[in-house]
Amino acid sequence: MPASDHPILILGGTAEAAKLAAALVALGYRTISSLAGRTSNPAKIEGEVRTGGFGGAEGLADYLRRENIALLVDATHPFATQISDNAIAAADVTGIPFVRLERPDWRRKPGDIWISVATLEEAVAAAPSKARILLALGRQHIAPFSKRRDVFFVVRMIDPPETPLDLFDFELELSKPGKKDEEAAFLTRKRLTHIICRNSGGAASYAKISAARELGLPVIMIERPHRPGAHALPDTDSVLRFVVEMLG
Ligand code: NAP
């Protein structure tokens, strides 16, 4: 049983964060998972849950003090940069133990043809004229591609978008990503020449990268923002060990 009932705050919104909350609760720790509130029906999370922004790094620091938080885990998505910067600053100013849970990014393998870019805007510029591109990005990242009237896009989504997509020449595909062979068949059937995606890491969306390698298709890969100074561990087990070492 943990020595103190002071809660662990998990900045979440990812599958890893939910998995960590469940594991910590099972070990007897008190957890508060924090969600930004972007999803109307988030999946069930073990332990306590709070929703909404804190009001910047200062607001987060106030919350850490007010709620007697014993340890802060930033388990937000690799591309959620603002909240992660706030977490580092708030942990710094309060002195509360801090760890970041960040799944490793994908690394280039032999046969991969990656065009690595740093931003969405660079990805827009890197798309060759007349290409047929699988745009494997969330709907909030689609609009910048509207200026590329010389490119055909296939946009794959699980649910239909609430507002029409702001693209010139495109096809909407409502389906889930499949296994490598299914992804290869999909890329071939749609006569796609490129993929544009973010370097999210993890297994769930890697099949398209393996399929592109197999087919020799270039991938315009939006790399992760560089965040110096974060104490990062790659998986829930390592974070669990860290928590047990820190809190007993
Ligand atoms: P962001 O740009 O880094 O954060 C913007 C603001 O939203 C933050 O300053 C903070 O407001 C609030 N916020 C973000 N995450 C929060 C959390 N877990 N709890 C409480 N407040 C939070 O974040 P984002 O990219 O919009 O992502 C929002 C959430 O969606 C995160 O929880 C993230 O894990 C999840 N998510 C993001 C992506 C992605 O691609 N970015 C993908 C999957 C899931 P205040 O400054 O007021 O505190």
Side-chain angles (χ1 to χ4, degrees):
M1 210 36 199
S4 136
D5 72 345
H6 290 188
I8 296 167
L9 179 65
I10 304 170
L11 303 172
T14 57
E16 288 88 347
K19 191 176 160 202
L20 178 67
L24 287 169
V25 167
L27 288 176
Y29 290 97
R30 189 179 152 210
T31 62
I32 303 175
S33 292
S34 175
L35 302 176
R38 309 264 195 276
T39 312
S40 49
N41 268 323
K44 170 143 176 42
I45 298 171
E46 298 294 329
E48 296 162 47
V49 177
R50 68 161 301 284
T51 304
F54 297 94
E58 280 178 25
L60 178 55
D62 288 346
Y63 180 92
L64 295 175
R65 293 191 193 99
R66 196 169 62 240
E67 299 295 327
N68 284 318
I69 300 297
L71 189 144
L72 173 64
V73 184
D74 173 17
T76 57
H77 190 270
F79 282 86
T81 50
Q82 187 57 58
I83 187 70
S84 293
D85 287 347
N86 293 353
I88 294 169
D92 205 35
V93 73
T94 58
I96 286 171
F98 168 73
V99 64
R100 163 129 178 101
L101 166 54
E102 182 165 310
R103 62 173 98 123
D105 54 5
W106 297 319
R107 295 296 162 95
R108 221 180 267 256
K109 291 190 178 166
D112 278 329
I113 308 168
W114 287 8
I115 300 154
S116 286
V117 295
T119 62
L120 201 56
E121 289 66 34
E122 283 184 28
V124 174
S129 191
K130 307 266 191 292
R132 292 176 60 88
I133 300 185
L134 172 62
L135 214 44
L137 298 171
R139 67 198 66 184
Q140 69 275 34
H141 306 300
I142 303 293
F145 292 90
S146 61
K147 63 177 83 141
R148 293 305 306 267
R149 294 175 153 240
D150 56 338
V151 173
F152 176 77
F153 294 105
V154 172
V155 184
R156 183 167 61 188
M157 292 180 172
I158 297 170
D159 301 312
E162 281 153 17
T163 50
L165 291 178
D166 185 16
L167 287 173
F168 180 68
D169 193 10
F170 75 102
E171 180 184 324
L172 181 62
E173 164 80 18
L174 292 178
S175 65
K176 286 186 182 170
K179 298 205 170 72
K180 187 186 76 174
D181 291 350
E182 293 159 343
E183 293 293 72
F186 172 75
L187 293 166
T188 307
R189 190 168 69 247
K190 299 284 178 190
R191 293 183 290 115
L192 292 162
T193 60
H194 294 73
I195 296 176
I196 296 182
C197 65
R198 302 192 300 178
N199 195 334
S200 302
S205 55
Y206 188 68
K208 64 178 179 289
I209 307 297
S210 309
R213 182 190 313 124
E214 198 171 272
L215 297 170
L217 297 189
V219 177
I220 298 173
M221 184 70 80
I222 306 171
E223 298 293 352
R224 294 179 181 187
H226 179 57
R227 273 199 223 109
H231 172 36
L233 295 173
D235 50 46
T236 47
D237 286 349
S238 324
V239 174
L240 280 177
R241 280 195 293 278
F242 176 81
V243 170
V244 172
E245 268 170 38
M246 293 303 292
L247 304 183

